[in-house]
Amino acid sequence: MGKIQALSYFVVQSTDLSAWQKFGEQMLGTQVLPAPGGGLYLKLDERAYRIAVVAGSEDRYLASGWELPDQAAFDSAVAAIHAAGIETTPADAATLAARQLRGLASFVDPSGNRHELAWGSTAEITPFKSPLGALKFKTGKFGVGHTVLPALNFDATLKFFRDVLGFGLSDIFNFQPGPDAPVMRIYFMHAASGRHHSLALAEMPSASGCVHVMLEVEDRAEIARAEVRREQQGVKLMATLGQHENDKMTSFYMMTPGNFALEYGWGGIEVDPASWQTTQTQQVSIWGHDFSVGFR
Ligand SMILES: [Fe+2]
């Protein structure tokens, strides 16, 4: 089976599109354009969008979009999902037009997270120009970034992504928030393109549908610039600047208008899916990343 390449895009639902317009243009540094048929496209690179914002009754994360290289790989992924006993729903014409794809099938994983399998972008390729100047995101074959999803049905969800969809296990972290707290597993998984993780499964609930997403910039100085913007714009800090042990990402975390956190990072490592040996992280971060600020 052709493998999933990367987290191509994600979809959020919003009660207030103007909040995402402002957050995209002024905080993240993406271009923001009206999407055909309604909603917004947040453009991070030459593709029409990497974040799709749709209007709805809640502010939340809606779906993760996984890219396959061609129709044969798409068809075999859909067949593998069916064989595992999970239904897929082919997109209707309106959704295909909204996502600008040739093929799309949605499904729900064993923990209840919604996903879209995608292939064949029909979007026009146009240059990216950040409204904040020279800023560039690390995307391309690595996709939009990574997503960390709640996975309370942990074992079945892990097995599904590893055995059915072909993700590799990059790193295992057994997170114990306090000395007497129960351990929560967070497993970090890579797709074929080799970003250290495109997906992480976290054994914790999340009312907004996502623990956090990560966008990566190409220049380390942009992290400091972004932290200044965050403070000026009054965007809530969820974790202070720090560097992760497992993917070496230097980043900070902030709240999005979707009620989930966004990690704004630089310098994450890549893995070679053919030879990578799963690691086991002992700590979240080498330095920094005080998550208590987000829960004060
Ligand atoms: Fe992350």
Side-chain angles (χ1 to χ4, degrees):
M1 176 179 110
K3 294 271 188 73
I4 286 173
Q5 299 295 296
L7 177 67
S8 181
Y9 62 89
F10 60 88
V11 185
V12 301
Q13 190 185 73
S14 173
T15 62
D16 177 9
L17 295 176
S18 69
W20 274 100
Q21 173 114 27
K22 181 177 178 215
F23 187 71
E25 288 178 340
Q26 296 180 26
M27 179 60 240
L28 300 178
T30 70
Q31 289 176 264
V32 180
L33 302 150
L40 299 174
Y41 281 164
L42 271 59
K43 178 175 167 71
L44 280 72
D45 58 12
E46 69 284 353
R47 291 213 186 178
Y49 68 95
R50 292 285 186 178
I51 304 170
V53 184
V54 299
S57 59
E58 284 180 78
D59 289 299
R60 58 164 296 150
Y61 187 90
L62 210 57
S64 307
W66 302 104
E67 180 155 318
L68 287 143
D70 53 35
Q71 182 162 18
F74 174 83
D75 290 345
S76 81
V78 168
I81 293 169
H82 283 175
I86 291 179
E87 287 295 310
T88 64
T89 307
D92 58 20
T95 307
L96 282 178
R99 299 280 188 278
Q100 304 199 19
L101 290 164
R102 298 187 65 186
L104 188 159
S106 59
F107 65 93
V108 175
D109 75 27
S111 287
N113 301 298
R114 191 166 180 277
H115 301 272
E116 298 181 355
L117 281 184
W119 82 274
S121 175
T122 60
E124 199 185 334
I125 298 294
T126 56
F128 170 69
K129 174 133 188 28
S130 172
L132 301 177
L135 193 158
K136 282 198 172 68
F137 293 96
K138 181 176 173 179
T139 55
K141 71 168 187 168
F142 299 106
V144 59
H146 67 232
T147 187
V148 183
L149 298 177
L152 289 176
N153 190 1
F154 193 87
D155 293 319
T157 310
L158 174 66
K159 188 172 161 49
F160 174 74
F161 280 102
R162 195 185 48 201
D163 299 349
V164 178
L165 290 182
F167 282 73
L169 190 54
S170 299
D171 184 64
I172 287 171
F173 179 51
N174 294 317
F175 176 50
Q176 192 170 24
D180 300 317
V183 168
M184 293 185 289
R185 291 173 287 180
I186 309 175
Y187 282 26
F188 301 84
M189 307 181 87
H190 58 261
S193 64
R195 192 189 276 279
H196 177 275
H197 54 281
S198 289
L199 170 69
L201 300 175
E203 202 171 21
M204 59 182 76
S206 174
S208 63
C210 176
V211 177
H212 76 257
V213 294
M214 188 283 302
L215 305 182
E216 187 170 359
V217 291
E218 289 193 347
D219 179 354
R220 187 177 180 182
E222 292 295 344
I223 300 299
R225 269 186 87 203
E227 175 53 15
V228 170
R229 292 196 298 274
R230 185 202 61 73
E231 196 160 9
Q232 284 173 344
Q233 293 170 32
V235 173
K236 184 176 167 62
L237 184 66
M238 299 302 289
T240 58
L241 186 68
Q243 186 176 20
H244 283 301
E245 179 175 296
N246 67 3
D247 67 355
K248 310 294 183 260
M249 186 81 71
T250 299
S251 58
F252 71 90
Y253 289 65
M254 63 188 138
M255 192 53 129
T256 70
N259 290 325
F260 56 88
L262 185 145
E263 177 183 8
Y264 204 85
W266 170 86
I269 62 167
E270 291 148 28
V271 301
D272 175 4
S275 62
W276 181 259
Q277 302 289 310
T278 305
T279 54
Q280 182 160 350
T281 298
Q282 302 304 320
Q283 57 182 0
V284 179
S285 304
I286 303 164
W287 57 269
H289 281 152
D290 178 1
F291 282 87
S292 73
V293 299
F295 301 94
R296 272 179 203 154

